[in-house]
């Protein structure tokens, strides 16, 4: 085989992936940027180029709604990332022990990831039903009345709980893979030096899990900053927009009668910039922390 033929084979092998990437990622992204500069409202034959008017609207006329959505999104993202990481590490350490039913525990914790968001959302909607749900009945025993998902003071906290419950199994599996790659000799050496279980975790486990921590943090940030599906099923952004994340806000704008898809595209670009900036900052500090360990 000549040199020219050997050079073309990598491109031929990459071609299917490049075609799919272009069709489902690249072209839609370019289209979204274009439509964000128009007043497109569903009629491909009748729309005008409006420049940056949609972006101006987002930070002037619609400022309160957009800023509230961004604020709730950041609260949701930070809280879920911290809680899910902390719980997942603890669970990974526990199921990594030599237990009789360790495989059962791992499968049980991971199961919500298999169920899907719709099923998870419907299950917890029934659990948090303010009239006949088990949580409401439990609260009634303590003479506590609450609308639960219908209460704007606690609705976001309940959505965060469901989000962490539904995805902590995936994070746990990543941490478990990291734990199983740590040589046992390091723990034996730490034990000989008199290190307790906590000190071994602090000085052996955590430093060697930093790469997995970085991966989990980035995945969680990307996922939570764009979340709308679980919120749509549980609260639809309510009550009183207390769970209206930016992803949910964009979703409502797409299907509301008073907004154009062009404006929703502009909001999607704002969301992309926020995700890019937050991920860049998180990755910078995570990588820096890896070198410190």
């Amino acid at each position: 085989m000549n040199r020219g033929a050997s050079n073309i084979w990598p491109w031929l092998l990459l071609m299917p992936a490049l075609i799919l990437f272009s069709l489902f990622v690249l072209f839609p992204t370019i289209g979204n940027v274009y439509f964000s500069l128009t007043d497109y409202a569903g009629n491909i034959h009748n729309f005008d180029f409006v420049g940056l008017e949609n972006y101006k609207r987002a930070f002037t006329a619609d400022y309160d709604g957009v800023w509230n959505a961004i604020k709730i999104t950041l609260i949701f993202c930070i809280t879920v990332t911290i809680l899910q990481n902390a719980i997942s590490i603890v669970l990974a350490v526990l199921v990594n022990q030599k237990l009789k039913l360790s495989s059962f525990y791992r499968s049980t914790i991971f199961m919500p990831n298999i169920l899907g968001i719709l099923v998870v959302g419907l299950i917890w909607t029934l659990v948090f039903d303010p009239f006949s749900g088990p949580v409401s009945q439990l609260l009634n025993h303590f003479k506590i009345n609450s609308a639960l998902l219908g209460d704007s003071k606690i609705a976001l906290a309940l959505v965060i709980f469901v989000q962490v419950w539904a995805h902590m199994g995936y994070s746990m599996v990543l941490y478990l893979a990291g734990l199983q790659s740590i040589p046992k000799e390091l723990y034996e050496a730490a034990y000989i030096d008199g290190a307790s279980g906590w000190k071994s975790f602090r000085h052996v486990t955590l430093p060697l899990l930093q790469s997995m921590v970085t991966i989990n943090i980035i995945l969680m940030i990307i996922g939570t900053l764009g979340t709308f599906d679980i919120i749509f099923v549980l609260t639809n952004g309510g009550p009183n927009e207390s769970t209206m994340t930016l992803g949910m806000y964009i979703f409502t704008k797409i299907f509301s009668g008073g907004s154009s898809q062009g404006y929703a595209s502009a909001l999607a670009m704002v969301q992309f910039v926020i995700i890019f900036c937050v991920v860049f900052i998180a990755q910078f500090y995570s990588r820096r922390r890896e070198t410190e360990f």
Side-chain angles (χ1 to χ4, degrees):
M1 181 180 294
N2 58 44
R3 185 175 181 180
S6 63
N7 288 337
I8 200 173
W9 268 108
W11 291 104
L12 289 175
L13 295 174
L14 284 172
M15 193 60 66
L18 291 175
I19 292 174
L20 291 174
F21 177 80
S22 299
L23 287 175
F24 296 103
V25 178
L26 184 59
F27 292 155
T29 300
I30 295 173
N32 190 77
V33 174
Y34 173 74
F35 284 117
S36 72
L37 304 174
T38 70
D39 61 353
Y40 176 70
N43 188 350
I44 195 66
H45 301 292
N46 183 23
F47 66 92
D48 298 314
F49 186 82
V50 297
L52 299 177
E53 284 300 315
N54 288 325
Y55 296 94
K56 182 180 178 181
R57 174 187 170 186
F59 293 102
T60 53
D62 201 20
Y63 175 80
D64 291 338
V66 172
W67 171 244
N68 180 67
I70 292 175
K71 180 177 68 174
I72 291 174
T73 301
L74 292 176
I75 293 172
F76 180 79
C77 172
I78 293 170
T79 308
V80 170
T81 300
I82 293 173
L83 290 177
Q84 190 169 320
N85 264 294
I87 295 172
S88 298
I89 290 178
V90 173
L91 290 176
V93 171
L94 292 176
V95 299
N96 194 44
Q97 306 297 318
K98 294 181 179 179
L99 304 174
K100 291 182 178 180
L101 298 176
S102 60
S103 297
F104 171 77
Y105 298 143
R106 296 174 190 178
S107 302
T108 303
I109 296 170
F110 187 77
M111 186 177 62
N113 291 269
I114 303 173
L115 296 177
I117 292 298
L118 181 60
V119 176
V120 169
L122 292 176
I123 289 173
W124 284 103
T125 299
L126 295 175
V127 172
F128 291 135
D129 186 286
F131 301 104
S132 59
V135 174
S136 177
Q137 293 181 7
L138 178 63
L139 293 176
N140 288 336
H141 284 293
F142 296 96
K143 308 299 181 182
I144 299 174
N145 294 318
S146 175
L148 297 174
L149 290 172
D151 187 345
S152 58
K153 294 181 180 179
I154 63 172
L156 182 60
L158 295 178
V159 171
I160 289 172
F161 167 79
V162 175
Q163 174 76 10
V164 173
W165 178 86
H167 295 92
M168 65 184 180
Y170 183 80
S171 301
M172 181 204 69
V173 169
L174 293 178
Y175 283 126
L176 188 60
L179 286 171
Q180 292 179 349
S181 67
I182 300 175
K184 294 182 180 179
E185 290 79 6
L186 295 177
Y187 291 106
E188 294 173 357
Y191 178 78
I192 292 173
D193 289 339
S196 62
W198 166 249
K199 288 185 177 179
S200 295
F201 177 77
R202 172 68 180 82
H203 297 287
V204 178
T205 305
L206 275 184
L208 295 176
L209 277 181
Q210 283 306 302
S211 60
M212 285 300 176
V213 171
T214 299
I215 293 172
N216 267 307
I217 287 176
I218 299 303
L219 290 175
M220 290 178 201
I221 289 175
I222 294 173
T224 53
L225 286 179
T227 295
F228 82 92
D229 45 9
I230 189 66
I231 295 172
F232 175 73
V233 178
L234 290 173
T235 65
N236 199 25
N240 300 322
E241 297 189 348
S242 59
T243 59
M244 185 67 73
T245 60
L246 188 55
M248 189 66 209
Y249 192 71
I250 295 170
F251 181 82
T252 57
K253 290 298 179 183
I254 292 174
F255 295 101
S256 64
S259 296
S260 68
Q261 281 84 350
Y263 179 59
S265 296
L267 291 177
M269 293 309 302
V270 172
Q271 183 185 45
F272 169 78
V273 172
I274 292 173
I275 293 175
F276 178 84
C277 293
V278 174
V279 168
F280 179 81
I281 294 170
Q283 188 171 20
F284 174 79
Y285 282 102
S286 296
R287 294 298 184 188
R288 185 176 177 182
R289 187 172 177 81
E290 285 183 37
T291 58
E292 290 176 358
F293 272 103

